[in-house]
C-alpha cells in the first residue's frame, strides 16, 4: 500500500516517547557517557529492538547517525522478549516505548538515560531529553492515529475527527493517557497528513544513511 495515497488521515490520538534505557551493569549514567563508551568500543555494544524497521530500531539508528557511533543491532520479535533479555543483561541497551519500559525503570531493573522527545515527559520530569544531552534536534515521537480508507467522504472524516477530538478533551481520558506517558493530541486531518509527510522524509534519510534493509 501507499501510505499517503491509500488512507484518509482522521487524527492522531496520542504521541508516546521512547526511552533510552540500559541494563544497570552498563557503566554509563547519561547519554554523553554512552556515546563515549560506544566510541571507545566501536561495534562491540549490542542494542536490542522490537524488530527491524520498528520505532525502537529506527530511534537507535537515528541516534547512531547523529552521535557518530557504531553499535550492533539485535532485533527481537516484540517488546517483551527484548525487555526480558535487557533486564537479564543479555543485551545492554535499547530504545523502548515508554509504557512498556517505564515500570521496569521505576522498579530499578533498568536505568533510563534520556527521553526521545524534544520536551521532557511529565511522567519523568527529571529525565533529560536526548536533544539536551548533547544531540541537539534529536526527536522521536511514536504516534498512534486513526485513518480511514482513501476516498472516504470528507463529511465522514470531519465527523469522525470531531468525535475523537471531543473524546480526547475529556479529563479522564487525558489523565489515563498521561499516566502511561502518552501525550493526547487530537489534531486536524490536515495536520495529521503533514506529520506523515514529514516523517516519511525524515525516516527515509535515516534508512538510506544506515543502509537498513528488511528481511
Amino acid at each position: 500500500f501507499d501510505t499517503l495515497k491509500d488512507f484518509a488521515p482522521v487524527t492522531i490520538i496520542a504521541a508516546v516517547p521512547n526511552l533510552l534505557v540500559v541494563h544497570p551493569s552498563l557503566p554509563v549514567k547519561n547519554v554523553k557517557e554512552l556515546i563515549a563508551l560506544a566510541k571507545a568500543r566501536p561495534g562491540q555494544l549490542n542494542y536490542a529492538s522490537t524488530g527491524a524497521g520498528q520505532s525502537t530500531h529506527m530511534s537507535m539508528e537515528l541516534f547512531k547517525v547523529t552521535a557518530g557511533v557504531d553499535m550492533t543491532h539485535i532485533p527481537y520479535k516484540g517488546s517483551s522478549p527484548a525487555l526480558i533479555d535487557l533486564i537479564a543483561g543479555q543485551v545492554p541497551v535499547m530504545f523502548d516505548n515508554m509504557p512498556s519500559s517505564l515500570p521496569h525503570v521505576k522498579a530499578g531493573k533498568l536505568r533510563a538515560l534520556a527521553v526521545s522527545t524534544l520536551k521532557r515527559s511529565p511522567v519523568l520530569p527529571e529525565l533529560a531529553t536526548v536533544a539536551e544531552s548533547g544531540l541537539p534536534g534529536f526527536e522521536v515521537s511514536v504516534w498512534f492515529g486513526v485513518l480511514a480508507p482513501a476516498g472516504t467522504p470528507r463529511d465522514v472524516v470531519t465527523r469522525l475527527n470531531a468525535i475523537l477530538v471531543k473524546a480526547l478533551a475529556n479529563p479522564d481520558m487525558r489523565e489515563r493517557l498521561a499516566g502511561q506517558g502518552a501525550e493526547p493530541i487530537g489534531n486536524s486531518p490536515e495536520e495529521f497528513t503533514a506529520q506523515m509527510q514529514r516523517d516519511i522524509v525524515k525516516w527515509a534519510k535515516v534508512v538510506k544513511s544506515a543502509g537498513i534493509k528488511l528481511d
Side-chain angles (χ1 to χ4, degrees):
F1 62 87
D2 186 306
T3 304
L4 294 177
K5 292 181 179 179
D6 294 344
F7 300 101
V10 178
T11 189
I12 295 179
I13 298 297
V16 178
N18 282 335
L19 288 180
L20 178 57
V21 290
V22 299
H23 187 268
S25 65
L26 196 69
V28 298
K29 297 293 177 62
N30 52 54
V31 170
K32 290 183 179 179
E33 291 182 0
L34 176 62
I35 292 174
L37 181 63
K39 288 185 175 181
R41 297 162 55 184
Q44 296 180 39
L45 279 184
N46 295 334
Y47 76 90
S49 83
T50 57
Q54 299 291 328
S55 73
T56 56
H57 177 208
M58 301 299 286
S59 295
M60 188 60 82
E61 290 299 330
L62 178 62
F63 181 86
K64 287 168 55 182
V65 170
T66 308
V69 296
D70 179 20
M71 300 168 68
T72 301
H73 180 211
I74 308 295
Y76 287 80
K77 294 182 178 180
S79 181
S80 294
L83 283 173
I84 287 172
D85 270 12
L86 183 65
I87 293 170
Q90 298 298 317
V91 64
V93 59
M94 75 177 292
F95 271 101
D96 188 44
N97 292 156
M98 179 178 280
S100 56
S101 56
L102 184 60
H104 304 296
V105 171
K106 290 185 174 181
K109 296 178 181 179
L110 296 176
R111 178 185 301 133
L113 302 186
V115 64
S116 68
T117 43
L118 284 178
K119 297 188 299 183
R120 294 192 180 195
S121 169
V123 179
L124 292 172
E126 73 285 355
L127 185 64
T129 67
V130 175
E132 66 182 317
S133 301
L135 299 179
F138 185 97
E139 179 185 15
V140 178
S141 182
V142 183
W143 51 258
F144 296 85
V146 174
L147 302 101
T152 300
R154 180 65 190 183
D155 61 326
V156 174
V157 172
T158 301
R159 185 181 178 191
L160 282 171
N161 176 269
I163 292 171
L164 291 167
V165 170
K166 182 179 180 180
L168 287 168
N170 184 290
D172 290 340
M173 174 68 78
R174 299 184 70 84
E175 182 179 355
R176 185 166 184 175
L177 287 170
Q180 299 181 51
E183 177 188 0
I185 303 295
N187 56 3
S188 69
E190 292 75 19
E191 290 170 328
F192 190 1
T193 299
Q195 180 67 57
M196 291 171 62
Q197 292 170 335
R198 289 193 299 270
D199 284 351
I200 288 172
V201 172
K202 173 181 180 176
W203 294 115
K205 292 179 180 179
V206 175
V207 169
K208 184 176 180 180
S209 62
I212 297 172
K213 295 181 180 180
L214 297 180
D215 296 331

